[in-house]
Amino acid sequence: MEILLRTALAPCLVLLVSVVARRSGPRLGGLLLGVPMTSVPFAMLVWLDAGSGAAARAARGLAAAQLAVACFCLAYGRLATALRPARALAVALTATAVAAVAAATCPNVWLTAVGALALTCAGLATWPPPPPAGRPVSRRARPGREIGTRMAVSAVTVPLAMTAARVLGPFAAGVLAAFPVLLAVMAPATHRATGPQAAAVMMRAALTVVPGTLTFLLLLSAAL
C-alpha cells in the first residue's frame, strides 16, 4: 500500500484529469486538480514514518503552501490570454516560488492561511469575465507520449517530498509537497491543446478550491 501511495496516485490523477478535461471541459479538470489528492497521501506516509506529531507539522506545511497554489492559479490564469504557454508558466512558477519561500519562512501558519484566503478572494472577485463566445478552438490530438510525460513528472512528487521530510523537516517538506506540480503540468498542456481561455478557466476553477483545501488541511493538522 505504501509503495502504491508513493508512486501511483499522482500519475493516476494526471491521467484522470487529462481524460476529464478533454471530455467534460477544463472547469471540472481544474476542480479535480484543486482537491488535495497528493497532499493526503504525503501526510499519511509521514504519519506512518514518523508519527502523528510530524504528520501534523507536515499538514501545517501543506496548508501554508496553499498561498503558493493560489499564486500559481492567479498568475497563470491572468497571463494565459496574453502570453505563450512557456512564458506564462515561467512567470507563474517564479511567483509561486516566491510565495512558497514566504510560506516556508513565516512563523505563523494562520497568518499564511489568511494571506492565501485574501489572495483567493481578491483574485476571484477581480477575475475578468470570459470573452464573448466565438468560433470554438480546434483541439489538437493529444499524443500518448505527452500524457505519459505528465504522468512521469507527477510520479516523483510524493517520493521527493518524503525524502525532503527527512532532510528539511516535515513542515518545509509539506510546503514542497503542496507545490503545484500537477497544475504546472496541466496548465500549459491545456493551453496548447485547447487554447488560452480553456487554461484560464481551469486555473480559475482550481483557485476556487483553495479555501476548501486550506480548511481541510488545517482541520487535519488539528486532528493529528
Side-chain angles (χ1 to χ4, degrees):
M1 176 63 71
E2 182 174 339
I3 295 176
L4 179 64
L5 287 174
R6 287 177 185 267
T7 60
L9 185 57
C12 289
L13 177 60
V14 168
L15 179 61
L16 173 65
V17 172
S18 298
V19 174
V20 169
R22 181 168 56 185
R23 296 188 177 182
S24 302
R27 183 178 181 277
L28 184 55
L31 292 174
L32 287 175
L33 282 171
V35 176
M37 290 188 180
T38 56
S39 299
V40 172
F42 169 71
M44 290 175 58
L45 289 172
V46 172
W47 176 67
L48 291 173
D49 283 351
S52 59
R57 292 192 293 276
R60 286 195 292 273
L62 293 167
Q66 295 308 301
L67 177 64
V69 175
C71 279
F72 182 90
C73 294
L74 188 58
Y76 197 101
R78 294 295 184 88
L79 294 173
T81 56
L83 299 177
R84 294 181 179 273
R87 293 183 179 180
L89 180 63
V91 176
L93 285 177
T94 301
T96 304
V98 172
V101 171
T105 55
C106 181
N108 191 333
V109 68
W110 294 102
L111 181 60
T112 309
V114 170
L117 286 175
L119 181 63
T120 299
C121 293
L124 292 175
T126 59
W127 200 281
R135 187 172 58 185
V137 178
S138 60
R139 297 189 177 192
R140 299 185 319 187
R142 297 186 181 185
R145 183 175 62 181
E146 183 178 350
I147 295 179
T149 300
R150 300 178 212 169
M151 295 175 67
V153 170
S154 64
V156 301
T157 302
V158 174
L160 285 180
M162 288 300 300
T163 302
R166 300 186 182 97
V167 177
L168 302 175
F171 180 84
V175 174
L176 290 176
F179 199 86
V181 175
L182 299 182
L183 288 170
V185 171
M186 292 300 301
T190 302
H191 194 164
R192 290 191 298 269
T194 57
Q197 190 57 42
V201 169
M202 178 176 281
M203 292 302 98
R204 188 185 190 283
L207 185 63
T208 62
V209 185
V210 167
T213 299
L214 180 60
T215 302
F216 170 79
L217 293 170
L218 290 174
L219 290 175
L220 178 63
S221 173
L224 289 169

